[in-house]
Amino acid sequence: MHTPLRTLLGQKKGKPHSVSPNSTVAAAVELMNANKVGSVLVMEGDRLVTVPLERHWTRIGRSLAADVRLDDATVSRRHALIVRQADGVRVLDDRSLNGVFVNGSRIEWSSLGDGDELIVGRYRLHFVEVPAPDA
């Protein structure tokens, strides 16, 4: 069962929130140390939430089937996909009405790099690349 992200964050409708660089770095380091994950999305409402991107693809949308559920009318049921591939991580617009924006530009698909900002509806997401731990 998925909990709406706004409920997890305590976020109210309105303008997108942004994440301060210091809290982004701290969250990424904490997650890296705890979970040894290669990449995460960092989201902020009243508090910081990190979502590990452990699977080959992660669905973002308003649907109950979404891996990252954003319960807001500005978000399509199937809004975006984040895909991990051998050559990097990409975000794809999944036929959304309001589009997906990376660093301010509307995209159909885009490679993601450390610190890139994604806008999905009224939500701002930040992609943080966490180096894989040495074996």
Side-chain angles (χ1 to χ4, degrees):
M1 178 180 195
H2 294 277
T3 303
L5 193 58
R6 184 180 303 117
T7 302
L8 291 173
L9 297 173
Q11 183 174 359
K12 298 182 174 112
K13 289 184 181 180
K15 293 184 179 179
H17 299 283
S18 61
V19 176
S20 71
N22 291 338
S23 62
T24 300
V25 171
V29 169
E30 179 181 330
L31 187 68
M32 178 183 67
N33 290 335
N35 296 328
K36 309 296 186 220
V37 174
S39 305
V40 295
L41 277 176
V42 179
M43 309 169 77
E44 183 181 38
D46 289 343
R47 59 191 166 120
L48 195 62
V49 176
T50 55
V51 179
L53 302 176
E54 298 172 314
R55 295 177 24 193
H56 178 67
W57 49 269
T58 301
R59 290 177 283 184
I60 300 172
R62 202 176 70 233
S63 168
L64 292 173
D67 300 303
V68 178
R69 185 165 179 237
L70 303 172
D71 190 19
D72 187 85
T74 62
V75 177
S76 297
R77 285 182 185 90
R78 294 174 48 174
H79 203 103
L81 289 170
I82 296 182
V83 182
R84 291 179 55 184
Q85 298 176 320
D87 61 343
V89 179
R90 290 188 171 86
V91 61
L92 310 166
D93 188 332
D94 196 10
R95 302 174 304 216
S96 68
L97 180 63
N98 293 324
V100 175
F101 295 81
V102 175
N103 298 325
S105 298
R106 188 170 182 161
I107 56 95
E108 288 185 32
W109 69 270
S110 178
S111 295
L112 292 176
D114 187 43
D116 282 348
E117 177 185 68
L118 291 81
I119 297 180
V120 175
R122 292 185 177 150
Y123 292 86
R124 289 186 193 266
L125 314 168
H126 292 262
F127 177 76
V128 179
E129 188 71 37
V130 180
D134 293 331

